[in-house]
Amino acid sequence: MKVGILLSGQNRSLTSANGTSTATMPKARNTSSASLCRSTLAGCTNIGVCSRDQLYQLIYNISQAADTLYRDFPWRNTTDPYAIWISEVMLQQTQTARVALRWQAWLEQFPTVDVLAQAQTADVLRAWQGMGYNRRALYVLKTAHIISAHGGVFPQTPAELVRLPGIGAATAAGICAFAWNRHCAYLETNVRSVLLHELFPHEDQVSDRELITFVDALCPDDAPRTSRALHTPRMWNYALLDYGVWLKQHVSNPSRRSRSYTKQSKFEGSHRQKRAALVRILLDSRAANDSHAMTTARACELLCDEEVRAGRSPVSEDYVEQLLCELRAQEFCTFCDGSWQV
C-alpha cells in the first residue's frame, strides 16, 4: 500500500491513486511534525494493515501543511461546548460559508443552552430557516431541554453524548475534541476523504469500521483544555478537516470510494423541498398573525402558489395533507380546531 502523497522540499506534488501528479501542495510552515509523529504513535499497537512507517508518513504530510491550510472560523476560537455543539450540528449538512453567517446569529438569539431550552419550537425553527434539514432544529431543542434539566452541564464523553437526540458518533467526537481537547475517534466526511486518499488509494467500498481504527490510532491523547498545540486532539482534527477540504478541491472526491457514500438527492421539486416549504408557510402565518385558519386547503393553496412560481406543477390537497401529517408525526406542527400551526 502506498501513501497518496510524499512531501519533500518546499513545493509538494500531490500524487493521485494512479501515480500522476495532479496538484501542488502549499508551502509548509509547520516545524513540529517529527514530535507530533512520535507523540501520536507512542504506544500505538492497533494500526491494522498499515505499517507504522506509513502512518508516520501520513502524520508528517498533514502536519507539514497544517498551518498553511488552517481555516479560521469563529467556532474554532471557543471551548464552549454549547457553541461547539451548535456548530457541529449546523455543519452536518450545510456548507461552511452558510454556517459562518448563521452560527453567530443563532448564539445572539440563544446564547446559552438554558435560553434555548426555554424557546418556543416556532422560534427555533424560524432561526433555523435557510439551513436545511429542519429536523436538526427539533433535535437541538430536545437536547437543550435534557441538558438544561441537568443543570446545563454538558456530558464530556462520546458514550454519554450519543444518548442525546440528534447527536451521532461524529458529532459527539467533535464536541469532545473541540470543547474538551480529548482523545476521540472523529470520523466525518473530510476526515474520511483523507484516510481513503492516503491509506486506501486503490480500494473501493471501504467501510467506516476499517477507517475508525486509524482515526482512533492517529488521534493524540487528552491534552489541557485550552492547548492549541498541533499534537492535541483539537488541532490535529482541525488539520485533518482542512486537509480533507483541500484534497476535495484538487482530486476527485475520495469519499466516493467509501461504502457509506451516498449521492445527495436533488432538493428542488423533491418531497423534502415541499415539506420545508410547508414549515416555512406555517411559520410565516404565525409571524403575521394570519386571521385565516390554516386549513389543509389553505396550506395547499399557498404551497401551489410557490410551486407555480418556481415553474413546477401544482400539488393535490391529498398530498399536502399527507405532508402535514408527516410533519405532525415528527412534532413540527399540531392540528387543533381545524387549523395547522407550529
Side-chain angles (χ1 to χ4, degrees):
M1 184 184 302
K2 80 176 181 66
V3 176
I5 62 174
L6 296 176
L7 300 181
S8 59
Q10 294 301 310
N11 291 316
R12 294 161 181 82
S13 179
L14 177 62
T15 305
S16 65
N18 62 16
T20 59
S21 179
T22 58
T24 300
M25 284 286 288
K27 183 181 294 185
R29 295 180 298 178
N30 189 284
T31 60
S32 62
S33 55
S35 62
L36 173 65
C37 294
R38 288 192 295 272
S39 172
T40 301
L41 292 181
C44 176
T45 57
N46 184 24
I47 56 177
V49 297
C50 284
S51 69
R52 187 173 298 271
D53 286 345
Q54 287 173 309
L55 293 183
Y56 194 108
Q57 183 68 54
L58 185 153
I59 297 168
Y60 181 82
N61 293 346
I62 295 168
S63 63
Q64 283 291 289
D67 285 349
T68 304
L69 298 181
Y70 182 76
R71 298 172 300 156
D72 190 20
F73 297 115
W75 53 85
R76 291 189 174 188
N77 296 301
T78 181
T79 60
D80 177 7
Y82 167 67
I84 289 168
W85 165 51
I86 296 300
S87 73
E88 285 294 300
V89 175
M90 287 183 169
L91 289 163
Q92 285 172 7
Q93 300 284 351
T94 306
Q95 293 294 321
T96 307
R98 184 175 297 180
V99 173
L101 296 174
R102 303 298 296 276
W103 179 79
Q104 191 63 53
W106 177 279
L107 292 182
E108 290 171 2
Q109 185 172 356
F110 311 113
T112 67
V113 70
D114 292 324
V115 171
L116 176 59
Q118 295 169 11
Q120 297 293 316
T121 300
D123 293 333
V124 174
L125 286 171
R126 171 65 69 184
W128 197 267
Q129 290 308 288
M131 297 289 293
Y133 294 93
N134 287 316
R135 289 185 69 180
R136 289 182 294 168
L138 295 186
Y139 284 137
V140 162
L141 183 56
K142 289 179 180 179
T143 291
H145 288 154
I146 295 170
I147 293 176
S148 183
H150 287 79
V153 178
F154 268 77
Q156 296 186 26
T157 67
E160 294 173 300
L161 285 163
V162 294
R163 297 188 189 125
L164 296 169
I167 296 185
T171 301
I175 295 169
C176 287
F178 305 136
W180 309 110
N181 224 2
R182 293 193 169 175
H183 172 96
C184 62
Y186 183 55
L187 181 60
E188 62 82 72
T189 182
N190 291 310
V191 176
R192 187 179 289 112
S193 292
V194 171
L195 296 181
L196 288 168
H197 179 79
E198 292 281 342
L199 301 180
F200 297 87
H202 304 295
E203 289 85 345
D204 289 319
Q205 294 295 300
V206 180
S207 71
D208 282 355
R209 181 177 295 182
E210 294 176 86
L211 298 177
I212 203 74
T213 299
F214 298 105
V215 175
D216 185 57
L218 290 165
C219 183
D221 291 335
D222 294 356
R225 186 176 180 187
T226 58
S227 175
R228 296 183 68 85
L230 184 56
H231 56 280
T232 61
R234 173 183 295 117
M235 300 309 293
W236 169 251
N237 280 295
Y238 285 156
L240 281 175
L241 290 170
D242 297 340
Y243 183 53
V245 169
W246 187 87
L247 277 176
K248 289 180 178 179
Q249 294 169 349
H250 293 85
V251 302
S252 179
N253 185 1
S255 288
R256 292 172 183 161
R257 294 186 286 104
S258 166
R259 187 176 298 173
S260 63
Y261 176 78
T262 56
K263 187 175 181 180
Q264 192 173 44
S265 59
K266 183 180 178 182
F267 178 72
E268 292 301 325
S270 68
H271 187 81
R272 185 163 56 91
Q273 174 262 318
K274 292 174 176 59
R275 281 169 46 104
L278 280 173
V279 169
R280 187 173 61 254
I281 286 169
L282 296 177
L283 288 171
D284 288 346
S285 175
R286 176 189 175 95
N289 293 316
D290 193 343
S291 59
H292 294 89
M294 186 56 70
T295 62
T296 301
R298 173 69 173 160
C300 181
E301 176 186 352
L302 293 173
L303 181 57
C304 285
D305 287 346
E306 287 197 16
E307 292 296 292
V308 170
R309 284 198 299 271
R312 295 187 290 265
S313 300
V315 295
S316 69
E317 189 171 326
D318 286 344
Y319 179 58
V320 171
E321 184 171 16
Q322 174 193 337
L323 293 172
L324 288 167
C325 287
E326 287 178 11
L327 292 171
R328 179 177 60 182
Q330 294 171 2
E331 302 180 13
F332 281 97
C333 62
T334 59
F335 186 67
C336 183
D337 298 328
S339 182
W340 295 95
Q341 52 195 289
V342 292

